[in-house]
Amino acid sequence: MHVFLNGRCVPEAEAVVPVSDRGFLYGDGLFETIRIGRGHPFRWEAHLARLSRGAGVLRLRVPFSPGDLLAAVHQLVELNGLPDAVLRLTLTRGAGPRGYSPRGADAPTLVMALHPLPAPPAEPVRVITSSYRIVAGDPLTAVKTCSKITWVMARAEADARGVHDAVLLNTAGHLAEATASNLFWVQDGAVCTPPLQAGALDGVTRALVLELCGRLGLGVCEVDAPPSVLAGAQGVFLTGSVFGVVDVGEWDGRPVPLSPVSARIRSAVAAAQAGA
Amino acid sequence: MHVFLNGRCVPEAEAVVPVSDRGFLYGDGLFETIRIGRGHPFRWEAHLARLSRGAGVLRLRVPFSPGDLLAAVHQLVELNGLPDAVLRLTLTRGAGPRGYSPRGADAPTLVMALHPLPAPPAEPVRVITSSYRIVAGDPLTAVKTCSKITWVMARAEADARGVHDAVLLNTAGHLAEATASNLFWVQDGAVCTPPLQAGALDGVTRALVLELCGRLGLGVCEVDAPPSVLAGAQGVFLTGSVFGVVDVGEWDGRPVPLSPVSARIRSAVAAAQAGA
């Protein structure tokens, strides 16, 4: 496998960073997970726009133009023979002097690595509520940083229970998101999801679903509420770049009814992905 | 400079980790910052005990015994000719498959790197209140993980204001800690500090100061309170492994009176460090 590292496509064994890289030392960076279909990154502009917003928040420089990055993606797909894949793009502040201060770290690290597209989960999936909490309203939760220990440990809780994913609440006890997906539910015919201010990541597929619901004539609603709001939900589903739309069939051991609209939304997302 | 990497002391240029290391991808690891004086790590057992507690929380394996690590520290000091130094020990979950799940990442990465001991700041220092918040009561805030973007950005705020450090409040608006130091103040003759549950790191120097205050006949008090509690304080100081005890002379632009007891505490800490 070849990996893009700071301007060059190198064999995986040479894709290394110094132990003084602030991504490694402090999680001082950003990442994007992008679906590649038939050789093309899906919603590339949206991912690059989010990366750029995050770089503004973290005061990081993106050291390559979107055009150069896209050319490198195509090169990676070609070199690795992987037209259908998951791309992980990582941007860190690079190496710098010891200590939290980002002063003196002026050469960011940019890595892009392809991974085989995993098989979609057998639906509907089971989820649990994580014991870990997201900070609502934190400007650093709003961007996709590399400081993800909370999400890693939430996912480990899901692994330990043998379920697909864990849903994180925010520090107010309200619904936020799953570890690698946004959360949706259907209530009184409307498609609901936590607002970004609740700690939900501004997911590229989340935005696509909200957009597609409009086209499908479905009402959408951002709801900042505790999990009890789900008691009367007509279905729950997760959305993300890797798997698209995934129905939830069980939450904390209790059955969840299948959504009457998720199949239509999943088809619309799949069609958008196929047409990318 | 030589660096200890997974069992070997290698030249700095060879001290690299794969871009698939979960420390780099997710901040999925722990670290310790340890003062080395006359070739010996100060409070080594306390640092290793905290690392071990953190490894328990993160379900990480420490791949070397404390004795082997100590031998490696002495080798690093010798190889680099740096008997007075700052040691950064980093333990990550190592490389693994893509995604938050730690499953399949079974070979942790352990790095130890020496850095020259920086000159102490000209005291008293200036601090600001950071706009970033720490989650109180979070089991992941209680250990020293590599997911430190909040502390990095708080420190960047201090840099931007030209001051020594930034104090972080927790999500309840109460005092927690500075980015690389614990916070103390003197109130009615007692030496006060935020409790660990407020989001203060269990600092090795914090514990030493609490212990030394007992020996010096000074009362100590853990206070979970908003910054307004400092209005009547007779002095504020910071404690940490690198600089010991540092007086604060200005907070958010307002002068802070010099503590009547910090000089005694600083001397006691310095004596403990010198005798290590």
Side-chain angles (χ1 to χ4, degrees):
Chain A
M1 198 73 96
H2 277 68
V3 172
F4 177 88
L5 173 62
N6 294 331
R8 293 170 53 221
C9 286
V10 300
E12 201 170 5
E14 295 170 26
V16 294
V17 291
V19 296
S20 55
D21 193 287
R22 294 174 58 90
F24 180 74
L25 296 174
Y26 298 117
D28 187 6
L30 297 163
F31 74 100
E32 291 291 328
T33 303
I34 305 170
R35 186 188 176 100
I36 309 285
R38 294 188 298 174
H40 297 291
F42 183 60
R43 296 242 148 176
W44 173 253
E45 292 76 14
H47 283 287
L48 271 265
R50 185 170 64 186
L51 180 72
S52 176
R53 286 198 304 277
V57 173
L58 264 52
R59 308 228 176 127
L60 266 175
R61 185 168 56 84
V62 185
F64 300 95
S65 71
D68 287 347
L69 289 174
L70 186 58
V73 172
H74 290 142
Q75 198 184 347
L76 278 180
V77 166
E78 188 70 30
L79 276 170
N80 294 304
L82 265 185
D84 297 296
V86 178
L87 173 72
R88 157 94 185 207
L89 183 159
T90 309
L91 171 67
T92 77
R93 208 179 301 273
R98 196 202 63 77
Y100 289 124
S101 170
R103 265 192 303 212
D106 302 319
T109 300
L110 198 145
V111 178
M112 293 194 293
L114 284 187
H115 302 268
L117 194 61
E123 290 181 88
V125 299
R126 296 182 295 152
V127 301
I128 56 166
T129 307
S130 173
S131 71
Y132 295 99
R133 298 288 179 103
I134 286 178
V135 187
D138 185 326
L140 299 177
T141 301
V143 297
K144 206 169 167 78
T145 80
C146 292
S147 281
K148 283 291 187 186
I149 191 66
T150 298
W151 289 257
V152 166
M153 295 308 295
R155 187 56 174 258
E157 289 184 313
D159 289 350
R161 300 277 291 275
V163 302
H164 176 71
D165 207 346
V167 174
L168 293 116
L169 308 182
N170 65 26
T171 44
H174 289 191
L175 294 163
E177 62 180 4
T179 66
S181 323
N182 284 107
L183 175 71
F184 284 81
W185 65 95
V186 182
Q187 182 80 52
D188 301 328
V191 175
C192 306
T193 194
L196 304 185
Q197 313 88 274
L201 188 79
D202 188 5
V204 168
T205 309
R206 175 185 184 276
L208 174 63
V209 165
L210 291 175
E211 179 191 318
L212 290 173
C213 283
R215 287 198 226 153
L216 293 170
L218 299 166
V220 294
C221 195
E222 292 192 318
V223 179
D224 192 352
S228 57
V229 78
L230 296 171
Q234 296 97 43
V236 175
F237 59 93
L238 306 175
T239 68
S241 290
V242 177
F243 295 126
V245 176
V246 174
D247 278 311
V248 172
E250 187 188 299
W251 187 318
D252 288 335
R254 288 186 294 276
V256 173
L258 209 62
S259 156
V261 296
S262 60
R264 283 169 67 202
I265 298 170
R266 178 174 32 248
S267 298
V269 168
Q273 287 176 338
Chain B
M1 198 72 95
H2 276 69
V3 172
F4 176 88
L5 173 62
N6 294 332
R8 293 168 53 221
C9 286
V10 300
E12 200 169 5
E14 296 171 24
V16 295
V17 291
V19 297
S20 55
D21 193 287
R22 294 174 58 90
F24 180 75
L25 296 174
Y26 298 118
D28 187 4
L30 298 164
F31 73 100
E32 292 290 328
T33 303
I34 305 171
R35 185 188 176 99
I36 309 284
R38 295 188 300 174
H40 299 290
F42 183 61
R43 297 244 147 174
W44 174 252
E45 291 77 14
H47 284 286
L48 271 268
R50 185 170 64 187
L51 180 71
S52 176
R53 285 199 305 278
V57 172
L58 264 54
R59 306 225 178 131
L60 265 175
R61 184 168 55 84
V62 185
F64 298 96
S65 71
D68 287 349
L69 290 173
L70 185 57
V73 171
H74 290 143
Q75 197 185 348
L76 279 179
V77 166
E78 187 72 27
L79 277 169
N80 295 305
L82 265 186
D84 298 296
V86 178
L87 173 72
R88 158 93 184 208
L89 183 158
T90 309
L91 170 66
T92 77
R93 209 179 299 274
R98 196 201 63 78
Y100 288 123
S101 171
R103 264 192 305 212
D106 302 317
T109 299
L110 198 145
V111 178
M112 293 194 292
L114 284 188
H115 302 268
L117 193 62
E123 290 182 88
V125 299
R126 295 182 296 151
V127 301
I128 56 165
T129 307
S130 172
S131 72
Y132 295 99
R133 299 288 179 104
I134 286 178
V135 188
D138 186 325
L140 299 177
T141 302
V143 297
K144 208 169 165 77
T145 80
C146 292
S147 281
K148 285 290 187 186
I149 191 66
T150 298
W151 289 257
V152 166
M153 295 309 294
R155 186 56 174 256
E157 290 183 313
D159 290 351
R161 299 277 292 277
V163 301
H164 176 70
D165 207 347
V167 173
L168 293 117
L169 308 182
N170 64 28
T171 43
H174 289 192
L175 295 163
E177 62 179 7
T179 67
S181 325
N182 284 107
L183 175 71
F184 284 81
W185 66 95
V186 181
Q187 182 80 50
D188 300 328
V191 175
C192 305
T193 193
L196 304 184
Q197 312 89 274
L201 187 78
D202 188 5
V204 168
T205 308
R206 175 184 184 276
L208 174 64
V209 165
L210 292 175
E211 179 190 318
L212 290 172
C213 282
R215 288 198 224 154
L216 293 169
L218 298 165
V220 297
C221 194
E222 293 193 318
V223 179
D224 192 353
S228 56
V229 77
L230 295 171
Q234 296 96 43
V236 174
F237 58 94
L238 305 175
T239 69
S241 290
V242 176
F243 295 128
V245 175
V246 174
D247 278 312
V248 172
E250 188 188 299
W251 187 318
D252 288 335
R254 287 185 296 277
V256 172
L258 209 61
S259 157
V261 297
S262 61
R264 283 168 67 202
I265 298 169
R266 178 173 32 249
S267 299
V269 167
Q273 287 175 339

